């Protein structure tokens, strides 16, 4: 996954198929992409992106003079996050999964009790039923999906998607 006016996913030892494998942000000065070590670090940068844009020097031993960590190209599918989304609450895990047709990513949160929450309504119910999380609010969770960059979708998936939509609409 890649993100908004800066951002991509991270390498993880275990990951679900079609999930984010690298987190990255784009420098607001030189526009080079910089990989970010963990989803938590990425979310912290994204959380305040408008007020505190990322620049290369925020990364240890990094400057705009250094080569980009990663290049935007079609060797992987990129998705761009919106800036200023809330950071995932402690103890919860945000999971992003690409749909097989690459049309969008689905989001769910896994609670500390291992329950999956797929919508704000489910979050509200969970918080109401679990008073130990009374310090949290529904607004601490975001189900805004990142934008899939169409020019990085694998050709085979794009062709299959066009073929499927063409047959449904009657277009050949």
């Amino acid at each position: 996954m890649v993100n908004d006016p800066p951002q991509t996913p991270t390498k993880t030892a275990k990951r679900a198929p079609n999930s984010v494998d690298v987190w990255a942000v784009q420098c607001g000065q030189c526009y080079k992409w910089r990989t970010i070590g963990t989803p938590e670090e990425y979310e912290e940068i994204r959380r305040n992106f408008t007020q505190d844009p990322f620049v290369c020097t925020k990364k240890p031993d990094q400057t705009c003079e250094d080569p980009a960590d990663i290049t935007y190209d079609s060797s992987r599918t990129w998705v761009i996050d919106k800036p200023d989304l809330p950071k995932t609450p402690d103890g919860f895990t945000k999971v992003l999964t690409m749909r097989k047709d690459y049309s969008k990513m689905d989001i769910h949160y896994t609670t500390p009790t291992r329950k999956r929450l797929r919508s704000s309504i489910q979050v509200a119910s969970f918080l109401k039923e679990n008073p130990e999380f009374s310090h949290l609010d529904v607004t601490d969770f975001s189900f805004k999906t990142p934008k899939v960059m169409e020019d990085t979708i694998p050709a085979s998936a794009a062709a299959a998607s066009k073929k499927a939509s063409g047959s449904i609409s009657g277009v050949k």
Side-chain angles (χ1 to χ4, degrees):
M1 167 175 164
V2 175
N3 301 325
D4 178 39
Q7 296 142 75
T8 315
T10 260
K11 293 194 180 201
T12 56
K14 287 185 177 181
R15 67 181 185 89
N18 297 323
S19 66
V20 174
D21 69 343
V22 176
W23 297 97
V25 295
Q26 191 176 35
C27 176
Q29 292 177 349
C30 69
Y31 304 106
K32 293 177 183 170
W33 289 95
R34 301 295 179 200
T35 57
I36 303 301
T38 66
E40 294 78 16
E41 289 176 80
Y42 167 78
E43 285 190 358
E44 186 61 35
I45 293 167
R46 185 196 59 208
R47 183 175 71 89
N48 291 315
F49 191 79
T50 302
Q51 291 177 324
D52 187 19
F54 178 83
V55 291
C56 290
T57 55
K58 288 186 178 182
K59 208 172 164 188
D61 302 317
Q62 190 93 63
T63 71
C64 288
E65 302 304 314
D66 296 319
D69 295 344
I70 189 171
T71 303
Y72 179 92
D73 61 22
S74 61
S75 65
R76 68 180 71 228
T77 302
W78 287 64
V79 298
I80 305 295
D81 236 345
K82 293 174 175 47
D84 306 328
L85 297 178
K87 187 174 179 184
T88 301
D90 289 340
F92 290 77
T93 304
K94 184 175 185 175
V95 179
L96 297 130
T97 307
M98 181 71 71
R99 291 187 178 182
K100 288 181 183 180
D101 66 359
Y102 289 81
S103 61
K104 68 182 266 187
M105 294 193 87
D106 292 314
I107 298 173
H108 76 264
Y109 287 88
T110 303
T111 71
T113 60
R114 317 258 279 154
K115 182 174 180 165
R116 284 186 176 186
L117 307 175
R118 299 180 185 273
S119 70
S120 295
I121 293 169
Q122 289 182 344
V123 168
S125 291
F126 177 82
L127 295 176
K128 186 176 180 181
E129 295 167 5
N130 295 276
E132 64 271 29
F133 299 107
S134 63
H135 62 286
L136 296 176
D137 187 77
V138 174
T139 60
D140 294 324
F141 300 82
S142 173
F143 290 91
K144 291 183 180 178
T145 59
K147 179 182 180 185
V148 178
M149 303 308 291
E150 292 182 20
D151 60 333
T152 65
I153 294 174
S156 59
S161 177
K162 285 180 183 176
K163 183 177 180 182
S165 65
S167 64
I168 292 170
S169 66
V171 177
K172 296 183 181 189

